Every structure is written in structure tokens, then in C-alpha cells.
Amino acid sequence: MIHPLWKGVALLASTVAVSLAGGALLLRLSGRDQVQPELKKRVAAGSLPDADATPLHRRWGGYDAAAFVRYWKALDFQVTPASARTGRDVERRFLEMDLVFPFVYGGALAAALLLAWAANGRPFHPVWVMLPVIALVAADWTENLALLGQIRRFAAGGEPALQGGWIHVASAATMLKNLLIVVAFGTLVWLALVRSSPVPPPALTPAVG
């Protein structure tokens, strides 16, 4: 019989693997795997600050309209000499494809959490297991949709057409999403590894006398 702890490790590892594989596929299909190396080259050459090369969705501290503009201007280059696509085209495609990606990692995470919850004897209502995942997916969609809206406005009217309020919405969604990733995977670790580890019974002390 397989030890419950090893089952938890396998469940956690498979969930992380699915999420990482899905993320890598998203980078590949969108072309973003070609954009980030170019930005890193500019950072190394000193022509671009490191903070401005970081994708908006990875900024744990959020961003404002000025940071959005700096990042969008940094993407104004041709991806490859043989391609007509620019870094901006790739970023737009990435955000559009990222509307689907939450189904991948969200589904994998939800399934893993429910399996771990059931293996622990259903200790509480399943809504508490699913709530972080639902909120995570909602935050991810909010982030992507808000950014796509501002990208369209920037393309049509430049920096004056941007709506600072919606960029703040996207920023708040980004920070909430990143926090909820930690919460959701932390919950999975707790259910799969901590609660699944049987606590040895206390040693009996022989009676004296």
C-alpha cells in the first residue's frame, strides 16, 4: 500500500508539472519565448531598465499607467528579421491566449485540491477548497481583459487615450492573482502533505507502582 504522504507528493508534483508545461506551451505558441530574450539583451546592454523589461503580469508590486507605457514602448521592435511581428503583437497574442490558460492550471489545481480534500476525509465544505481557485481564475481574466482594453486604446490614440483607472484595476488583479497562486498552492501543500501525514500515537508510559 502506498503511503499517503507519497500520494500527496505525487499529486502536488503532477499539478505543478501541468501548470509549468501549460505555461511553457503558452509562451511558445504566443511567441513570447522570443521576446523576453531580446528584452534581457537590452537590459544587459544598459539600454533598458530591468524593471521595465519585467512583464506586467509578473509584477508583484503592481504597476501604473506610466509603467504600462514604458513596458509597451520597450516592446516596439521586430521579433525576428524574417517576421513582421513586433513585440507588441506578441504581447497582445499572449494576453488573448492567456484567457484560455486559466482553464488549464485552474482545472488541474481544482482537481488536485478536491482529490486531496477527499483523501483527508472531506474535513470541511468543498467551497473553501474551490474559493481560492475561482478567485484566482477571475483575477487572471480581469487582468487580461483590462490590459487588452488599454492596449487597444493605446494603439488607437496613444498615451492620452489610456484610462488610468482601468490600469489600476489590471494592476490590482495582477497582485491579487499572484497572491492567490501562493494561497491555492499553499492549501494544496497543506492538504496533500501536512494533513496526509499520519501523526504517530503518543508513546504509552508504563504505570509506576
Side-chain angles (χ1 to χ4, degrees):
M1 183 177 179
I2 301 177
H3 194 283
L5 181 60
W6 291 117
K7 290 182 179 179
V9 170
L11 183 61
L12 179 62
S14 61
T15 306
V16 172
V18 168
S19 299
L20 292 178
L25 182 62
L26 178 62
L27 291 176
R28 178 72 175 175
L29 293 177
S30 66
R32 211 186 207 193
D33 59 336
Q34 296 177 305
V35 170
Q36 290 304 309
E38 176 61 28
L39 293 178
K40 289 179 180 178
K41 286 180 184 177
R42 295 185 178 191
V43 170
S47 60
L48 180 68
D50 186 49
D52 292 340
T54 303
L56 297 177
H57 76 284
R58 292 182 186 170
R59 301 190 185 190
W60 286 75
Y63 42 88
D64 55 16
F68 173 93
V69 171
R70 290 195 301 272
Y71 179 63
W72 198 242
K73 287 182 177 179
L75 293 173
D76 190 17
F77 62 87
Q78 196 170 333
V79 176
T80 62
S83 171
R85 290 192 306 168
T86 67
R88 294 179 178 182
D89 296 328
V90 169
E91 185 71 9
R92 187 183 300 107
R93 180 174 174 80
F94 173 86
L95 291 172
E96 290 170 348
M97 294 180 68
D98 198 26
L99 293 171
V100 179
F101 183 53
F103 286 110
V104 177
Y105 74 76
L109 190 52
L113 283 167
L114 287 174
L115 286 172
W117 169 78
N120 277 281
R122 299 174 173 83
F124 41 78
H125 198 282
V127 71
W128 296 111
V129 173
M130 297 304 299
L131 192 59
V133 180
I134 294 171
L136 170 58
V137 170
D140 203 348
W141 280 335
T142 300
E143 171 196 51
N144 292 331
L145 290 171
L147 287 175
L148 283 169
Q150 295 310 297
I151 287 172
R152 285 191 289 269
R153 293 184 67 88
F154 189 90
E159 188 172 349
L162 292 176
Q163 297 168 305
W166 278 108
I167 293 178
H168 284 301
V169 168
S171 174
T174 297
M175 291 187 289
L176 179 60
K177 178 197 71 175
N178 290 333
L179 175 61
L180 288 171
I181 289 173
V182 175
V183 171
F185 275 96
T187 302
L188 180 57
V189 169
W190 177 65
L191 284 172
L193 302 183
V194 179
R195 279 189 61 95
S196 65
S197 301
V199 179
L204 298 177
T205 303
V208 179

